[in-house]
């Protein structure tokens, strides 16, 4: 990825997209996998805000405005209460903050399951409001008809199989899937059905590694793993997880930073300086000329 241009890292997007920069496209992501081989793995991270998108953008191929923002940003107990409005607002911010990555926005629970038409209405609302390039929805074979309906009407779709967090109440928790033959077969079948329906990529979440490998080998489109396998065609993590924002570190997360400690230390120093009147200092004050 070229870094010879400079990004506008102000909070305003008054400046145009830097000249050498062109946003990746959905077909370009799909074509990364040729004859079952992905020479350059697809890099995806979640993003929920404009500034976060600015910082992640040049390092990623895709930014996912995940409905995990329910827990990560809003402190909700699951992704179930997340609304279309929340997703549209955060997706619009991420699109404003990015120039390069394909922005994918999650369809929240209840916005797409009832019928292909309901899914089209929700997906078109999300894309019109945000300018994101694609939507992601959870569910396998049962969602294949809906995926086909959307794709045929101009809406690129990323599928999501294995552990599907919106189904937490049916699954009974967030444990890795595919621990028996029937489940394993279903996950691979789900991936095949979504790919045949026109999904341009499929997130494979929380499955035993051999199943992730089997699913990746069974489909023409790229798989994006999370708690899956390094042999998937790409990887995604929740950015706050990999930055070390939370105390709990699920097995599939690798920490690449310790942002919680950085924030806490900064807040501790700030509060001590306010209390001791060391802040603001001369450098932070305006004096009469
Ligand atoms: O909502 C989300 O962040 C996701 C990823 C974990 C794949 O769906």
């Amino acid at each position: 990825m070229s870094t010879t241009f400079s990004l506008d890292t102000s909070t305003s997007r008054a400046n145009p997209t830097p000249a050498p920069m062109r946003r990746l496209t959905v077909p370009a992501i799909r074509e990364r996998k040729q004859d079952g081989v992905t020479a350059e793995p697809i890099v995806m991270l979640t993003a929920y805000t404009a500034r976060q998108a600015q910082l992640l953008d040049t390092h990623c191929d895709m930014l996912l405005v995940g409905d995990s923002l329910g827990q990560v940003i809003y402190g909700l107990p699951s992704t179930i209460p997340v609304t279309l409005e929340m997703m549209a607002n955060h997706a619009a911010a991420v699109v404003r903050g990015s120039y390069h990555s394909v922005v994918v926005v999650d369809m929240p629970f209840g916005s797409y399951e009832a019928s292909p038409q309901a899914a089209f209405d929700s997906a078109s609302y999300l894309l019109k409001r945000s300018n994101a390039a694609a939507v992601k929805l959870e569910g396998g074979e049962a969602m294949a008809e809906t995926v086909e309906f959307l794709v045929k009407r101009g809406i690129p779709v990323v599928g999501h199989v294995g552990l599907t967090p919106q189904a937490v109440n049916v699954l009974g928790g967030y444990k890795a899937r595919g621990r028996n033959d029937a489940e394993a077969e279903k996950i691979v079948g789900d991936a095949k059905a979504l790919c045949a329906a026109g999904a341009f990529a499929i997130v494979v979440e929380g499955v035993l590694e051999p199943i992730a490998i089997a699913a990746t080998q069974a489909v023409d489109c790229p798989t994006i793993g999370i708690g899956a396998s390094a042999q998937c065609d790409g990887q995604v993590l929740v950015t706050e997880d990999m930055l070390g924002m939370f105390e709990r570190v699920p097995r599939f997360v690798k920490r690449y930073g310790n942002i919680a400690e950085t924030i806490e230390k900064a807040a501790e120093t700030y509060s001590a300086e306010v209390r001791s009147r060391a802040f603001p200092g001369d450098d932070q004050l305006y004096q009469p000329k």
Side-chain angles (χ1 to χ4, degrees), residues 7-286:
L7 279 180
D8 167 19
T9 55
S10 71
T11 51
S12 143
R13 282 297 310 272
N15 295 342
T17 302
M21 178 65 95
R22 290 192 59 204
R23 207 183 268 281
L24 279 171
T25 63
V26 164
I29 297 294
R30 168 64 191 82
E31 284 156 23
R32 281 280 181 92
K33 188 168 179 175
Q34 293 290 333
D35 302 324
V37 178
T38 303
E40 188 190 348
I42 295 161
V43 181
M44 190 190 218
L45 281 170
T46 60
Y48 313 125
T49 67
R51 183 62 180 140
Q52 192 180 34
Q54 286 174 335
L55 295 170
L56 303 175
D57 189 36
T58 52
H59 306 287
C60 292
D61 302 306
M62 295 209 272
L63 292 175
L64 172 64
V65 187
D67 61 353
S68 51
L69 62 75
Q71 289 121 309
V72 175
I73 302 283
Y74 291 91
L76 294 167
S78 72
T79 55
I80 306 285
V82 173
T83 65
L84 270 178
E85 193 67 15
M86 288 153 86
M87 295 310 301
N89 287 338
H90 286 275
V94 168
V95 171
R96 284 194 293 271
S98 60
Y99 300 98
H100 165 71
S101 302
V102 171
V103 177
V104 179
V105 51
D106 255 343
M107 300 192 69
F109 177 73
S111 72
Y112 64 94
E113 301 89 335
S115 68
Q117 185 61 54
F120 182 83
D121 293 345
S122 301
S124 57
Y125 169 82
L126 285 175
L127 298 193
K128 277 170 185 279
R129 281 278 316 274
S130 68
N131 262 325
V135 297
K136 177 168 83 58
L137 53 81
E138 294 185 9
E141 204 175 348
M143 282 297 130
E145 186 193 346
T146 295
V147 170
E148 192 173 349
F149 190 90
L150 295 181
V151 173
K152 281 192 170 152
R153 285 158 184 78
I155 299 182
V157 180
V158 175
H160 186 152
V161 302
L163 172 58
T164 47
Q166 291 175 11
V168 60
N169 292 322
V170 174
L171 302 177
Y174 297 103
K175 285 214 173 75
R177 311 293 299 161
R179 291 192 186 277
N180 59 55
D181 289 350
E183 242 178 44
E185 229 171 84
K186 177 165 177 356
I187 292 164
V188 176
D190 281 344
K192 279 184 177 173
L194 292 174
C195 189
F200 73 94
I202 300 172
V203 168
V204 179
E205 176 169 359
V207 301
L208 302 195
E209 191 188 19
I211 299 165
I213 295 171
T216 298
Q217 289 172 349
V219 297
D220 291 332
C221 64
T223 58
I224 318 272
I226 173 164
S229 170
Q231 290 189 47
C232 288
D233 303 296
Q235 301 295 325
V236 61
L237 280 177
V238 170
T239 296
E240 282 76 357
D241 281 342
M242 74 98 178
L243 289 178
M245 187 70 157
F246 300 110
E247 272 169 23
R248 192 179 152 267
V249 188
R251 180 178 171 81
F252 59 86
V253 170
K254 181 172 176 187
R255 274 187 169 181
Y256 292 85
N258 194 345
I259 204 157
E261 197 179 296
T262 304
I263 292 172
E264 274 195 332
K265 276 198 177 137
E268 189 183 5
T269 307
Y270 168 75
S271 83
E273 290 193 0
V274 169
R275 289 182 179 123
S276 68
R277 300 194 191 279
F279 175 84
D282 288 347
D283 289 351
Q284 290 89 38
L285 297 175
Y286 301 97

